[in-house]
Amino acid sequence: MHNIPSLDELFERRQSYPDFEPQERLARLVGLDDQKSRLAKILGLMVNPQGLEKWATRFHAGEARPLLDVILRRPPLVVLAGDVGSGKTELAETIGDAVARQEDIEITLFPLSLATRGQGRVGEMTQLLSAAFEHTVQAANKLKGERKAKGGVILLVDEADALAQSREAAQMHHEDRAGVNAFIRGIDRLANLRLPAAVIMCTNRLNALDPAVRRRAADILTFTRPNKEQRQHILSLRLGPLGVTASQVQMLVEATGTAGDALGFTFSDLTQRLLPAIALDAYPNKPVEGARALQIAKEMKPTPAFRDEVLAEKAAR
Ligand SMILES: Nc1ncnc2c1ncn2[C@@H]1O[C@H](COP(=O)(O)OP(=O)(O)O)[C@@H](O)[C@H]1O
Ligand SMILES: [Mg+2]
């Protein structure tokens, strides 16, 4: 028998909601209102299906049962897919706060990142996933209530690109396939037990999403690079108060967008690279200045596309 990693080893950064810190981080995400509201609703129903029954009683008397069944029978999985640095992890780590407030119950997040799996021993990803689902089932079991659950658990499987690789892909390593199977078994187990638990899976590679995983997803939310309005919002909020003029911000918005075949900046390119670079260029002896900020933006290269994204763009043309 393998040693099952303990709850603390597996999920060092467990988070409980409601909590004001994730609430603030959630509020800071720009242009994701649609994803936020869809995700909060889906997760809300998974951890608290009575909410939907209340709604049905209120608006449709007893007539909604057949409709409720199809909604409530969906497997408890939501996939967040899309570009690097587009807010998937940030949303996944903070949406529990919206769910907790909306459903008026305590939610716990179990965050598991598969990013570093590569260095692991053979079988490690499979073991991690099995253990993660085991802990999730145990925790959710304790929260199962007579009518309404006493709380809910969200298992976050982040950086799950290895799981997104299709099982059909010939080049897929045997070990990865075992990982996908462990993931699918876990989802099915949660679904069958009807526990107040849901799984969020984040991946950069939607196109390679395994068909068996895709089929189980109650919803797939996609994330893209920020559009003009979103870039404008992020940049003007931070640079406007420093005296960068509206037309200079506008030029920055243009300089950080798509140009011909080249992709524009990602959200994290803006918040974690460009804005800090602009500030640190001026620091410590000068103020931030619009013209210099524009020059810095023009010299900076946005994060290259994931291969998936290139293919998607080509297909869209
Ligand atoms: N929609 C957004 N609005 C504002 N900032 C964002 C947004 N998306 C991402 N960011 C910034 O980029 C950083 C990286 O986002 P993250 O969620 O880690 O991206 P990924 O999609 O790769 O998981 C976040 O910490 C945040 O500062
Ligand atoms: Mg991420």
Side-chain angles (χ1 to χ4, degrees):
M1 263 305 274
H2 286 293
N3 279 341
I4 296 178
S6 75
L7 194 63
D8 288 329
E9 286 169 314
L10 206 53
F11 310 113
E12 288 164 37
R13 296 170 50 233
R14 291 197 297 276
Q15 164 84 54
S16 298
Y17 316 97
D19 184 270
F20 77 93
E21 192 262 356
Q23 184 183 30
E24 274 181 19
R25 279 167 57 202
L26 182 62
R28 252 183 269 137
L29 289 173
V30 183
L32 297 181
D33 292 348
D34 180 50
Q35 286 97 330
K36 278 184 201 174
S37 97
R38 273 164 69 187
L39 188 56
K41 280 188 197 181
I42 297 169
L43 295 174
L45 291 181
M46 287 169 182
V47 296
N48 184 23
Q50 284 75 23
L52 196 64
E53 281 159 20
K54 260 198 210 152
W55 163 82
T57 310
R58 178 166 169 212
F59 293 103
H60 300 288
E63 308 304 319
R65 195 69 247 172
L67 174 63
L68 297 203
D69 282 344
V70 297
I71 300 170
L72 296 176
R73 270 210 316 263
R74 297 189 300 178
L77 169 67
V78 185
V79 175
L80 310 191
D83 215 346
V84 189
S86 55
K88 300 185 299 295
T89 299
E90 195 68 6
L91 184 62
E93 286 182 353
T94 57
I95 194 68
D97 186 77
V99 179
R101 288 174 203 273
Q102 170 192 298
E103 305 297 330
D104 196 23
I105 63 177
E106 186 170 306
I107 305 278
T108 308
L109 178 76
F110 288 177
L112 178 73
S113 172
L114 297 182
T116 52
R117 170 202 67 92
Q119 286 89 42
R121 306 177 299 278
V122 169
E124 183 163 52
M125 184 166 76
T126 307
Q127 198 196 341
L128 279 182
L129 285 166
S130 304
F133 277 100
E134 181 57 37
H135 286 301
T136 304
V137 166
Q138 281 179 20
N141 243 326
K142 292 188 196 133
L143 299 170
K144 215 172 170 179
E146 273 300 306
R147 290 270 313 147
K148 189 179 168 171
K150 296 189 277 278
V153 181
I154 298 172
L155 169 63
L156 166 60
V157 182
D158 202 358
E159 307 278 355
D161 291 355
L163 292 182
Q165 284 170 51
S166 169
R167 282 191 298 180
E168 285 160 7
Q171 74 274 24
M172 190 167 184
H173 197 275
H174 170 73
E175 158 54 12
D176 287 339
R177 204 165 300 141
V180 176
N181 290 336
F183 183 79
I184 290 169
R185 267 199 312 279
I187 296 290
D188 289 347
R189 191 170 165 212
L190 286 182
N192 292 334
L193 293 172
R194 296 189 163 237
L195 294 173
V199 180
I200 301 177
M201 168 187 172
C202 297
T203 176
N204 300 311
R205 311 194 54 215
L206 179 58
N207 294 341
L209 194 61
D210 186 275
V213 174
R214 186 185 285 267
R215 206 165 44 241
R216 281 166 176 79
D219 206 349
I220 299 178
L221 304 180
T222 52
F223 292 68
T224 53
R225 296 195 180 210
N227 62 23
K228 227 178 218 179
E229 287 69 35
Q230 292 165 329
R231 296 197 306 280
Q232 149 86 33
H233 180 94
I234 288 180
L235 294 169
S236 64
L237 187 73
R238 273 92 178 177
L239 298 176
L242 276 53
V244 176
T245 67
S247 70
Q248 285 170 328
V249 169
Q250 219 39 59
M251 285 190 274
L252 278 167
V253 168
E254 295 300 331
T256 52
T258 30
D261 265 359
L263 283 168
F265 282 47
T266 67
F267 278 104
S268 52
D269 285 340
L270 296 175
T271 59
Q272 296 181 345
R273 294 173 59 222
L274 178 61
L275 287 166
I278 291 170
L280 292 182
D281 174 75
Y283 172 85
N285 294 321
K286 291 180 297 185
V288 164
E289 208 249 304
R292 176 68 191 139
L294 186 60
Q295 203 177 349
I296 294 170
K298 283 180 172 164
E299 282 161 13
M300 192 171 274
K301 295 248 179 305
T303 304
F306 244 76
R307 217 174 59 83
D308 268 18
E309 201 183 323
V310 178
L311 296 176
E313 299 249 320
K314 282 213 176 107
R317 267 182 212 151

